[in-house]
Amino acid sequence: MACKCGGCYYTLNAKVSFDRDSMKNRNFLLRNVSVIRMFTNGFFRSKWRSVAGNRRIISMDAREKSRSTILESSKDKRVPIFVMMPVDAFSFDASGRPRIRKIKALTVSLKALKLAGVHGIGVEVWWGIVERSSPFDYSWSLYEELFKLISDSGLKLHVALSFHSNIHSSNGKGGVSLPLWILEIGDVNKDIYYRDQHGFSNNDYLTLGVDQVPLLSGRTALQCYEDFMVSFVDKFESYIGSVIEEISIGLGPSGELRYPAHPFGDGRWKFPGIGEFQCYDKYMMKDLKMAACRERKPQWGDRGPQNAGCYNSLPSGVPFFEEGQESFLSDYGRFFLEWYSGRLICHADAILAKAAKILNKYQENEQTSVMLVAKIGGIYWWYQTISHPAELTAGYYNTALRDGYDPVVSVFSRHGAALHIPCLDMMDSETPPTYLCSPEGLLKQIQSVSKKRIIKLIGRNTTERHDKEVTKTLQILPSSSLNLVSVVL
């Protein structure tokens, strides 16, 4: 969150939330736009734009004069808009304690967002802040202060429990590492992190290979996540269901259920590289060997595919991602991809089962009910190829011949979790045709799976945008969806 008090503005990325269960009318219209004067220096306005039939989308342009929106459906069901708290809203003081930056300016901004018709604020609750110094030493003071500010402003909360680090992706702006005591363990045993075929890793997220291995001061990774969730619920029980309406559970890098196959920020990968498989820590390799032995093919467990290129390869000329005897279509290819994606799905299943159990008592009372949320990545490049290589390395066994998102969504649905999808702002026409991208195709596929599994959807923008053209991409989403890409104060 950047403050320029002379011509003050804050830039906050927005997340869109909609409930398919309450929006069953196929001819849904967004209507009843109320107009409220906001600020003197920074403005946005809303404007109707028809994009498909009876569908109506709100477009926001921060460069035009201010008008705010309060949105209701034709059945008087509110479409809630959550604005994400910027990553640099926090900092650490000289003693290492976390604090809120520019708290007075933030308070003013929160009140302004409430007046603008924004429903709530999305806040990342970092493992690396709360359990920073030592195991079981949970410090919630930062979030107690922040949640009170948000609540006093009349806004609701989407809380993202974040078990990852954003050091490599924050560009030096308020990055948060994993807990310091975790990093100390990792200094001795780097296999607690994902590894690539060259032996490189980063400490953004623990490998799912340690989910069941008690390496973390006597606890497994799953036990660490569970203890953190229990502590959070105990501390903020009075907020759950009243102020806290949604709780997102981190499942991987950037909070998304995926492998770190495209590690931006540390120099290994750049768009549109296909990425690399991340299964070379000793715990994942041990599991692979066991899986290969069960198939009576022990040689398959020695390593991952050796003909799958490297991070910045393009799929053309990479044998594993083409049609051939040693490709993803071979017996070995199918075995490896089923194991690789299956381990990821088991990871989500285990964590969401614990989260659902912890939150179960709140679901029994409609007044305290809270939405459980899980995120997936938006791997849209090379989507129009037969092998979908970038998705395969990320752990989504999705090809032109196989729906890889159905088993993922099935797990989310089983635990009552909503699906959080990215790329709402992206259009095929704005991507390089050479790279066979299709963010719209990806969203269509996920939408189809979500309908089949009867699962709620939450969406977010990938980049900050202020143009009107971005609304066109929502033609592929349910008619109850809304695109709000950013708010500038």
Side-chain angles (χ1 to χ4, degrees), residues 109 145 219 251 256 266 326 344:
S109 296
E145 184 179 12
R219 288 186 291 171
L251 299 174
E256 299 169 345
D266 68 3
E326 298 181 351
L344 196 66

Side-chain angles (χ1 to χ4, degrees), residues 21-179:
D21 293 338
S22 64
M23 308 284 189
K24 294 180 179 177
N25 185 355
R26 301 289 292 183
N27 294 320
F28 172 81
L29 301 177
L30 292 178
R31 58 187 181 89
N32 299 337
V33 180
S34 73
V35 180
I36 305 172
R37 177 80 180 190
M38 286 179 56
F39 314 102
T40 55
N41 290 325
F43 303 106
F44 69 89
R45 84 181 169 104
S46 65
K47 183 166 70 174
W48 294 115
R49 181 180 180 88
S50 175
V51 293
N54 289 327
R55 197 173 291 151
R56 296 294 184 271
I57 308 298
I58 294 296
S59 167
M60 293 206 167
D61 190 336
R63 296 163 299 186
E64 300 184 42
K65 206 167 183 178
S66 168
R67 292 296 185 269
S68 73
T69 60
I70 296 176
L71 305 168
E72 297 177 359
S73 75
S74 57
K75 294 185 178 180
D76 297 323
K77 298 292 185 181
R78 181 177 287 269
V79 179
I81 301 170
F82 288 82
V83 177
M84 292 299 298
M85 183 71 66
V87 68
D88 59 350
F90 316 124
S91 64
F92 292 94
D93 62 21
S95 65
R97 284 186 166 187
R99 64 179 183 86
I100 302 172
R101 298 179 63 248
K102 306 182 187 299
I103 192 167
K104 291 183 179 179
L106 175 61
T107 302
V108 171
S109 296
L110 292 172
K111 292 178 179 178
L113 288 173
K114 176 62 178 177
L115 287 174
V118 169
H119 184 74
I121 304 296
V123 175
E124 291 168 309
V125 175
W126 295 95
W127 186 22
I129 288 179
V130 176
E131 198 180 0
R132 179 177 176 80
S133 299
S134 57
F136 295 108
D137 183 14
Y138 302 107
S139 175
W140 295 104
S141 57
L142 173 73
Y143 293 104
E144 287 180 289
E145 184 179 12
L146 180 59
F147 289 4
K148 186 176 187 304
L149 279 177
I150 293 170
S151 178
D152 289 348
S153 299
L155 294 161
K156 303 299 183 181
L157 272 163
H158 169 105
V159 173
L161 302 185
S162 301
F163 299 113
H164 64 284
S165 163
N166 68 345
I167 290 291
H168 292 100
S169 59
S170 63
N171 296 319
K173 297 180 179 180
V176 180
S177 71
L178 292 183

Side-chain angles (χ1 to χ4, degrees), residues 144-349:
E144 287 180 289
E145 184 179 12
L146 180 59
F147 289 4
K148 186 176 187 304
L149 279 177
I150 293 170
S151 178
D152 289 348
S153 299
L155 294 161
K156 303 299 183 181
L157 272 163
H158 169 105
V159 173
L161 302 185
S162 301
F163 299 113
H164 64 284
S165 163
N166 68 345
I167 290 291
H168 292 100
S169 59
S170 63
N171 296 319
K173 297 180 179 180
V176 180
S177 71
L178 292 183
L180 299 181
W181 61 274
I182 291 285
L183 297 181
E184 289 175 1
I185 296 171
D187 287 341
V188 177
N189 180 8
K190 293 189 182 300
D191 283 286
I192 68 171
Y193 309 123
Y194 287 112
R195 279 181 178 267
D196 63 21
Q197 61 184 329
H198 313 289
F200 295 123
S201 64
N202 66 43
N203 51 15
D204 283 346
Y205 190 78
L206 296 175
T207 170
L208 58 80
V210 299
D211 277 357
Q212 304 285 358
V213 186
L215 297 172
L216 310 174
S217 295
R219 288 186 291 171
T220 68
L222 289 179
Q223 288 172 331
C224 289
Y225 305 146
E226 181 179 20
D227 291 340
F228 186 90
M229 290 187 283
V230 169
S231 179
F232 171 82
V233 168
D234 288 346
K235 173 60 68 174
F236 297 107
E237 185 169 19
S238 62
Y239 283 95
I240 294 177
S242 54
V243 178
I244 299 174
E245 294 186 341
E246 302 175 2
I247 298 178
S248 176
I249 308 299
L251 299 174
S254 300
E256 299 169 345
L257 178 65
R258 60 176 175 84
Y259 292 98
H262 312 95
F264 55 91
D266 68 3
R268 283 183 287 168
W269 172 85
K270 63 181 180 180
F271 180 85
I274 59 177
E276 291 189 14
F277 293 110
Q278 305 289 313
C279 60
Y280 289 90
D281 63 85
K282 63 185 179 183
Y283 306 104
M284 289 284 284
M285 289 305 299
K286 180 179 178 180
D287 192 90
L288 177 59
K289 289 178 186 294
M290 293 171 60
C293 288
R294 287 193 295 269
E295 290 291 315
R296 298 181 181 179
K297 295 283 188 178
Q299 67 275 19
W300 287 354
D302 291 338
R303 53 192 180 182
Q306 296 300 290
N307 60 347
C310 58
Y311 284 109
N312 296 310
S313 296
L314 307 184
S316 178
V318 177
F320 190 77
F321 300 116
E322 296 184 322
E323 297 179 75
Q325 294 183 349
E326 298 181 351
S327 75
F328 71 101
L329 297 172
S330 67
D331 290 343
Y332 166 74
R334 285 191 291 268
F335 158 77
F336 176 81
L337 293 173
E338 286 174 0
W339 170 80
Y340 189 70
S341 63
R343 291 295 288 116
L344 196 66
I345 292 169
C346 287
H347 175 69
D349 192 23

Side-chain angles (χ1 to χ4, degrees), residues 246-249 352 355-356 359 363 370-374 415-419:
E246 302 175 2
I247 298 178
S248 176
I249 308 299
L352 292 178
L359 296 176
Q363 313 297 4
V370 63
M371 184 189 295
L372 177 62
V373 180
H415 298 297
L419 172 63

